[in-house]
Amino acid sequence: MSVLSRPYFHDEAAAFEHVEMILWPHGPVCHHCGSMEQHYRLKGVRTKASKKNPHGVERHGLLKCSDCRKQFTVRMGTIFEETHLPLHKWLQAIHLMCSSKKGISAHQMHRVLECTYKTAWFLCHRIREAMRSDHSTPMGGNGKVVEADETYIGRLGGQPVRRGGGSHKNTVLTLVERGGEARSFHVESATVKKVMPIVRANIARETAMMTDEWGGYRYLGDEFASHETVVHSKDEYVRGNVHTNSVEGFYSIFKRGMKGVYQHCAEHHLHRYLAEFDFRYSNRIAMGIDDGVRAVKALAGVKGKRLTYRQPA
Ligand SMILES: [Zn+2]
C-alpha cells in the first residue's frame, strides 16, 4: 500500500465521496439555491451518447435539490467545473502539487496524468488559484515576529539586463511570520510607496518587525511594536534573535523551484507561483501538516475561485 493506492485517486465514485466530505462537511448544499434539505441522489444517470462513448458516461455525484428541483454536483462552483477531467485525476494533480516542495512542471503533470499538456498547464494554474489565500486576517501580533524582505526574479519584458541590479527583474516582497505563514507579493518596485501599504495591510501593529538595512523600512519602528535590522552589507546576518533567516529560507526554496522546475514564468503569472510557494510554506511539515493534510487544505480552497461563480443573492 502507498499513498497513491488510495481509492479516490483511481475510482471516480470514491473521488466524489472524498471531495463531498471536504466541501460539504454538514451534508450536500444545493449549488443553485443553497438549500441543505434532504436532497435526492440520482443514481445511474448517464451523459448523452457520443461517438467516443456510445452508451454515455455515468454521472457521478449527481443530486437533485428537494427545494428548487434543480440538479447539482459538488463540482459546481469550484475549479473542478472548468474541465471535463475526471475528478480522481484532479485529486492526483492536487496531491502532486501539494507534495512537491519545489513545485511540479506542467510537462511532468502532463506525463504523469496522461492528459494533454494544455490541460496540465490549465490544471496547475487552477490549483494555484485554489491555494491562494485571501489574507483576510493580519499576520503577527503581540509577542510575534514578522520578517520582511524583497527579492528579484525572472526578467521584465523590454528591459535590458543590468549586472548586479534588480531593475530588469520582477520584484517580490515577502512577509514571513516566524513559526507561521508566508505572504508574497509581486510589486512594481522596491520603493516605500509600493512596499509600505502592503506591510501595513497585512501585519498587526503589535508585531516585532525584523528586516535588513534597506532604507525603505526605516519608519517601521514608528508603526509597529519594534523594528530591528541586520546589516547585510556589513556581513551581519544574525544578532541574537535578530535575523531574517526565515524569509531567506523561503526564498531559497522559491528560487530553486523557479529555476529548477518552472524555468519560464510570464510576468503576469508570477503572483500565482508565489501563491503556490506561500501555500506550501504556510502549511509545512514543521507546522505538523503532512502531504495529505496539505492536499485537503488545498481542496478546501477550490470553492468560489471561479470567475463565473454565482454570488449568493
Ligand atoms: Zn436548490
Side-chain angles (χ1 to χ4, degrees):
M1 287 293 275
S2 79
V3 170
L4 299 176
S5 47
R6 289 185 188 148
Y8 54 77
F9 287 136
H10 311 276
D11 177 65
E12 194 61 0
F16 267 91
E17 208 174 291
H18 183 64
V19 172
E20 285 184 10
M21 198 179 68
I22 293 162
L23 297 189
W24 290 338
H26 309 294
V29 183
C30 173
H31 171 67
H32 308 286
C33 72
S35 165
M36 290 188 68
E37 289 306 309
Q38 281 294 320
H39 302 308
Y40 323 94
R41 293 243 167 221
L42 300 173
K43 300 259 181 204
V45 179
R46 304 185 77 82
T47 60
K48 277 187 195 143
S50 65
K51 257 188 192 158
K52 200 174 154 196
N53 297 294
H55 303 291
V57 186
E58 186 177 349
R59 294 191 62 190
H60 292 278
L62 191 64
L63 289 108
K64 185 171 180 176
C65 178
S66 50
D67 276 332
C68 73
R69 319 294 295 172
K70 287 180 184 156
Q71 296 183 357
F72 65 98
T73 74
V74 75
R75 280 177 88 122
M76 288 182 179
T78 73
I79 62 168
F80 301 136
E81 201 181 354
E82 294 176 81
T83 71
H84 294 296
L85 196 80
L87 200 56
H88 68 272
K89 283 209 184 188
W90 267 107
L91 296 182
Q92 293 177 10
I94 291 174
H95 180 81
L96 286 170
M97 199 175 269
C98 285
S99 57
S100 312
K101 194 169 180 184
K102 285 170 278 180
I104 176 164
S105 71
H107 276 292
Q108 193 174 347
M109 196 68 96
H110 138 75
R111 289 191 302 267
V112 175
L113 298 189
E114 296 183 325
C115 61
T116 64
Y117 172 73
K118 205 177 140 194
T119 299
W121 185 91
F122 182 79
L123 280 186
C124 290
H125 271 321
R126 301 315 289 147
I127 296 169
R128 286 183 190 107
E129 196 58 23
M131 290 174 158
R132 186 169 53 83
S133 157
D134 59 3
H135 299 164
S136 55
T137 50
M139 306 172 76
N142 203 358
K144 302 272 174 66
V145 176
V146 171
E147 302 174 16
D149 203 2
E150 321 79 50
T151 194
Y152 303 95
I153 188 118
R155 187 170 165 198
L156 278 173
Q159 296 283 327
V161 175
R162 288 188 199 90
R163 284 196 147 260
S167 60
H168 63 283
K169 294 183 168 187
N170 293 294
T171 308
V172 172
L173 164 71
T174 300
L175 313 170
V176 176
E177 180 177 320
R178 272 192 206 159
E181 63 170 318
R183 294 183 189 178
S184 301
F185 306 86
H186 182 194
V187 291
E188 216 175 297
S189 56
T191 54
V192 178
K193 222 174 135 183
K194 301 289 175 200
V195 167
M196 282 309 290
I198 297 174
V199 170
R200 285 189 196 109
N202 283 276
I203 305 174
R205 299 288 171 267
E206 302 77 23
T207 307
M209 295 295 301
M210 306 227 175
T211 68
D212 61 17
E213 72 273 29
W214 180 54
Y217 293 132
R218 64 187 174 278
Y219 301 119
L220 276 184
D222 299 339
E223 299 191 34
F224 293 89
S226 63
H227 175 218
E228 293 187 85
T229 57
V230 277
V231 187
H232 287 172
S233 60
K234 287 186 181 160
D235 268 344
E236 183 190 49
Y237 289 91
V238 182
R239 193 177 67 251
N241 80 333
V242 183
H243 60 78
T244 53
N245 290 353
S246 313
V247 65
E248 278 156 35
F250 172 87
Y251 281 151
S252 143
I253 299 165
F254 171 61
K255 292 204 159 180
R256 274 184 286 152
M258 292 308 283
K259 272 187 193 157
V261 179
Y262 294 127
Q263 297 164 9
H264 306 287
C265 159
E267 204 180 316
H268 61 279
H269 289 312
L270 180 57
H271 67 285
R272 298 208 167 93
Y273 291 92
L274 289 169
E276 177 193 338
F277 283 89
D278 281 355
F279 175 84
R280 276 192 302 261
Y281 185 89
S282 302
N283 296 287
R284 60 195 183 276
I285 191 70
M287 293 171 75
I289 298 171
D290 64 15
D291 292 347
V293 177
R294 199 175 306 119
V296 168
K297 286 200 157 207
L299 257 173
V302 301
K303 261 198 270 191
K305 295 287 175 68
R306 290 194 68 202
L307 293 175
T308 52
Y309 184 65
R310 192 188 303 221
Q311 299 293 331

